[in-house]
Amino acid sequence: MIDTDALTGTVTQGTGGVWRVLTPDGLMHEVSLRGRLKKADVGRRAGGTIRRDTEAAAQETVKLAVGDRVRLERDERGQTLAIAEIRPRTSRLARRAPGGARGERVIAANVDQVVVVFAAARPDPHPRMIDRFLVIAEANGLSARIVVNKVDLVGLDEARARFAAYPRAGYPMHFTSAKRGDGLEELRDALGGRTSVLTGPSGTGKSSLLNALFPGLDLRVGEISASVNKGRHTTVGALLHPLPASVGGFVVDTPGLREVGMWELPAERLDQCFPEIRARRTQCRFADCRHGVEPDCEVRAAVERGDVSVERYESYLKLSEELAEEKGEW
Ligand code: GDP
Ligand code: ZN
């Protein structure tokens, strides 16, 4: 007999009110939300809104997401398992920045890091696009690392040169070749035991990398970015792929991050989403300095001294403009 009181697991997938929950014994359970809790969901779309009992006073509703740690309980007849409780989250990746407007949509819970995959070439990396992915991670308070794949095409020195701005900004870097095997051990170590959102433009080698790192893992990363998500606004739910037990951890496969056009961030918060600007912004003369034409701007001074990369600074200015134009929506 299973001690149901101790049965906790991780939500890996959810569609049509059925959630897949992986328990530490390696079993995958298909469960629904417990009836009593599900009542809070009446009148809402399927997908599971739970009013947390413990915070009833705050009337906080939590929408279940992949990555959530949940407690499972048997129903009254002791037959089927159902989700009885969501454990507090350590982090989350949401469609709107924390502190922003209401109605944020949590794509994944308990995320440890965002892993942004670009190619050294084919397709050529676009700095502005890299920075968008990084800003999304930063806006969610998540640490990010950058994988530069396909180093076999240009060589390591050239690949390093193309991405020189990022280690300077403080991001951990991986230079890999899924094809040749470069850098795979270090990347496997970086993914092990953690929940990572793997993202980046299609064609950069995400599926190839994961297949090379974890043979046999059935991944749909490339598939999603190539077809399923194209031209669709309905979110295809995120998936959590358990990594092999010897490694531990999960890779979150989500089409959501690709829809950068739908992310919302108050323009005045953008400078906090560039670590090298965040570190200097309080030294500007004006507290609300936007680091453009303002006098005594420490950020601009750092760019002039060569302490902050010109590309990253220009990226900041460009994204700042876009945010202002679109009132916070990309
Ligand atoms: P995804 O869309 O990010 O999942 O990218 P894929 O894994 O589907 O790879 C896109 C293309 O790049 C495929 O043709 C791969 O064979 C190729 N590719 C992936 N990794 C490498 C690499 O390290 N070097 C080279 N030269 N090609 C790669
Ligand atoms: Zn400034």
Side-chain angles (χ1 to χ4, degrees):
M1 286 296 281
I2 305 171
D3 176 6
T4 53
D5 287 340
L7 200 55
T8 59
T10 305
V11 176
T12 64
Q13 194 178 345
T15 33
V18 178
W19 299 87
R20 304 192 99 200
V21 176
L22 181 71
T23 45
D25 52 12
L27 291 178
M28 191 68 84
H29 307 266
E30 293 209 328
V31 298
S32 56
L33 292 172
R34 197 174 67 183
R36 191 168 64 81
L37 291 174
K38 212 174 177 179
K39 286 200 183 94
D41 196 28
V42 171
R44 291 174 193 271
R45 294 194 45 200
T49 300
I50 288 187
R51 183 154 291 155
R52 261 197 270 178
D53 294 0
T54 48
E55 294 177 26
Q59 293 285 293
E60 189 191 351
T61 56
V62 174
K63 280 185 180 162
L64 197 58
V66 299
D68 266 321
R69 306 264 139 69
V70 294
R71 187 168 58 80
L72 300 177
E73 264 181 17
R74 301 219 172 261
D75 67 6
E76 296 79 33
R77 287 165 297 158
Q79 302 286 314
T80 50
L81 281 168
I83 296 169
E85 187 195 333
I86 305 180
R87 293 278 152 84
R89 292 171 176 159
T90 56
S91 71
R92 85 276 182 292
L93 176 69
R95 204 170 270 280
R96 287 168 196 242
R102 292 170 59 215
E104 71 168 18
R105 182 204 290 263
V106 176
I107 291 170
N110 303 314
V111 171
D112 295 312
Q113 60 183 353
V114 175
V115 179
V116 184
V117 182
F118 274 81
R122 281 191 248 158
D124 280 341
H126 289 292
R128 200 87 69 237
M129 200 189 283
I130 303 170
D131 295 329
R132 280 171 184 263
F133 280 105
L134 295 174
V135 165
I136 290 165
E138 298 283 346
N140 280 275
L142 299 170
S143 62
R145 59 180 65 238
I146 298 173
V147 176
V148 180
N149 189 38
K150 308 198 189 185
V151 294
D152 56 285
L153 293 179
V154 302
L156 188 57
D157 290 346
E158 178 58 28
R160 282 189 193 282
R162 289 186 188 184
F163 286 83
Y166 298 96
R168 280 181 69 199
Y171 291 105
M173 306 293 294
H174 296 268
F175 293 89
T176 65
S177 168
K179 193 175 180 181
R180 217 166 54 184
D182 309 33
L184 295 186
E185 298 245 315
E186 291 85 349
L187 184 55
R188 195 185 288 114
D189 285 348
L191 296 173
R194 299 181 190 175
T195 297
S196 309
V197 171
L198 190 83
T199 189
S202 68
T204 55
K206 296 179 294 300
S207 319
S208 305
L209 279 170
L210 287 168
N211 289 329
L213 290 167
F214 311 109
L217 202 68
D218 179 26
L219 283 154
R220 50 161 213 179
V221 178
E223 194 185 311
I224 279 191
S225 37
S227 60
V228 179
N229 196 37
K230 195 169 274 176
R232 280 178 57 171
H233 278 283
T234 48
T235 308
V236 180
L239 288 178
L240 213 66
H241 293 281
L243 298 178
S246 58
V247 179
F250 299 90
V251 166
V252 184
D253 173 1
T254 170
L257 254 195
R258 286 184 48 78
E259 298 171 0
V260 282
M262 296 179 65
W263 291 75
E264 197 171 273
L265 180 73
E268 63 274 14
R269 284 201 52 221
L270 185 67
D271 66 351
Q272 296 175 46
C273 297
F274 283 72
E276 67 274 56
I277 295 179
R278 181 169 63 220
R280 295 176 168 91
R281 57 189 284 277
T282 55
Q283 297 162 53
C284 297
R285 189 209 289 186
F286 300 108
D288 61 352
C289 184
R290 295 291 183 86
H291 326 298
V293 296
E294 294 87 348
D296 295 332
C297 170
E298 175 58 23
V299 173
R300 215 176 51 242
V303 175
E304 279 155 20
R305 284 196 304 268
D307 293 343
V308 166
S309 116
V310 176
E311 291 84 359
R312 287 273 291 169
Y313 176 62
E314 283 175 352
S315 206
Y316 161 77
L317 290 179
K318 187 75 179 50
L319 294 178
S320 181
E321 236 169 68
E322 280 179 33
L323 282 176
E325 273 166 22
E326 297 171 34
K327 296 199 185 72
E329 275 187 49
W330 285 359

